[in-house]
Amino acid sequence: MARSLWGRRGSPRLRTVALIGIDGSGKTTQAHRLAEALTAAGHPAAYHRNAGGRRWLGRLAHRLGRPDAQRLVGRNGLLAVESVLRWLAIGLALLSCLVTGRTAVMDRYSACQYASIRVHGGQRWERLARAGYRVFPAPRVTILLTVDPAEAYRRIERRGTDHESMRWLTSAATAYRALPEYADFVVVDANGPPDEVSRRIRAHLAEWLPDDPPSSTAGPPGGAGRGGPLSPQARP
C-alpha cells in the first residue's frame, strides 16, 4: 500500500495510454492486460475499444451478398462511417474516464484512423479526420505494436471471426510507419508470445507499474512484443 501511495504522489498522472497497430498485432489482448495491471498497481484503469465499425460493416456486406464493406457503401462511405464511429468511441471513452478519474487504456486511437485512411488512398479524408480528431488530447503514451504481416494474417485466420488480406496488412504496417506521429510512438515488436510483450510494455511504463509483475494476466488471445528505447512521449 505504501508503495502504491508513493507512486500516486511521485509519478505524473497517466491519464491515457493507447495501443495501436495492424489487425492481428495483439492490441485487444494487451490493452485488457494493461488495464488490469494498472488497476492492480493502484492506478485504476478502464479498457476502451475504439472500433470504427469496419468489421461489423464487413459482416453486413457478406450477409447482403457483397464481398466487403467498401463494396457495400463505397470508399468514401466507409471512411466517413469509420471516422465518425471511432471519433464517437474515443470521445465517450475520454468523457467516461474524466468523470470516473480512471486511466483510459485505449484499444486503438486516432492514429489508427489516419493509417486506415492512407491504406484506402483517401488523402482528402485524412485532412478532414485530423481536423475532427484534433479536439482529443494526445495520449501520454502511444504504444505501436508491430508484427510481421504474415504472422498477423495467421492470427486472424486462427481466430476465425473475420478476414484480412496480406495486401491490406502490409499496406497498413507501412502506413503506420509513415505517419508524422511515428517518432513519438513507443514501438514494441509483437511477434512473440503475449506474456513476453506484456513484460516489455510494462518496462516502458515502469513509472506506474511495479517491477515484479505476475507471469500472466487474464485477457483475450492476441499479440506480443519486444521493446526499444523509451520515446519522448513516454517520458515525464
Side-chain angles (χ1 to χ4, degrees):
M1 183 181 294
R3 183 178 186 179
S4 175
L5 288 173
W6 181 90
R8 287 176 186 165
R9 293 171 186 166
S11 299
R13 172 90 181 275
L14 182 64
R15 294 185 180 275
T16 310
V17 56
L19 285 87
I20 63 174
I22 68 174
D23 200 10
S25 61
K27 298 183 296 297
T28 300
T29 294
Q30 297 304 331
H32 275 290
R33 288 183 174 213
L34 182 55
E36 292 182 1
L38 286 167
T39 299
H43 306 283
Y47 166 87
H48 296 277
R49 184 173 184 269
N50 303 314
R54 191 164 63 91
R55 187 180 299 179
W56 176 82
L57 279 173
R59 291 172 181 167
L60 178 62
H62 289 154
R63 288 185 189 139
L64 297 177
R66 303 294 179 85
D68 53 41
Q70 186 165 324
R71 298 291 182 87
L72 178 67
V73 296
R75 187 193 70 173
N76 289 338
L78 175 60
L79 292 178
V81 170
E82 194 178 58
S83 296
V84 170
L85 290 180
R86 201 184 308 279
W87 190 97
L88 290 172
I90 292 173
L92 288 173
L94 292 173
L95 179 60
S96 171
C97 288
L98 181 65
V99 171
T100 63
R102 292 176 176 268
T103 295
V105 179
M106 301 292 203
D107 177 358
R108 303 168 177 83
Y109 207 68
S110 55
C112 297
Q113 192 57 39
Y114 306 152
S116 177
I117 290 170
R118 290 189 175 207
V119 175
H120 282 100
Q123 286 78 7
R124 179 175 63 88
W125 278 101
E126 183 175 349
R127 291 194 293 272
L128 292 172
R130 286 184 178 276
Y133 282 83
R134 195 171 293 134
V135 300
F136 300 136
R140 182 169 185 82
V141 183
T142 299
I143 297 172
L144 173 62
L145 298 175
T146 61
V147 63
D148 184 272
E151 172 61 21
Y153 182 86
R154 284 191 291 269
R155 293 176 183 177
I156 295 167
E157 291 299 302
R158 255 196 322 266
R159 72 191 182 201
T161 58
D162 57 333
H163 174 77
E164 297 288 359
S165 69
M166 275 294 297
R167 180 179 179 182
W168 168 270
L169 293 169
T170 302
S171 298
T174 301
Y176 276 107
R177 291 193 299 270
L179 291 176
E181 297 88 351
Y182 179 78
D184 293 325
F185 296 157
V186 173
V187 180
V188 174
D189 183 342
N191 287 288
D195 285 347
E196 182 181 322
V197 70
S198 294
R199 286 193 295 270
R200 287 168 173 170
I201 289 174
R202 293 175 70 103
H204 286 296
L205 300 174
E207 277 188 81
W208 300 277
L209 291 172
D211 297 329
D212 49 348
S215 60
S216 180
T217 310
R226 181 177 64 211
L230 191 62
S231 80
Q233 186 182 7
R235 296 177 187 141

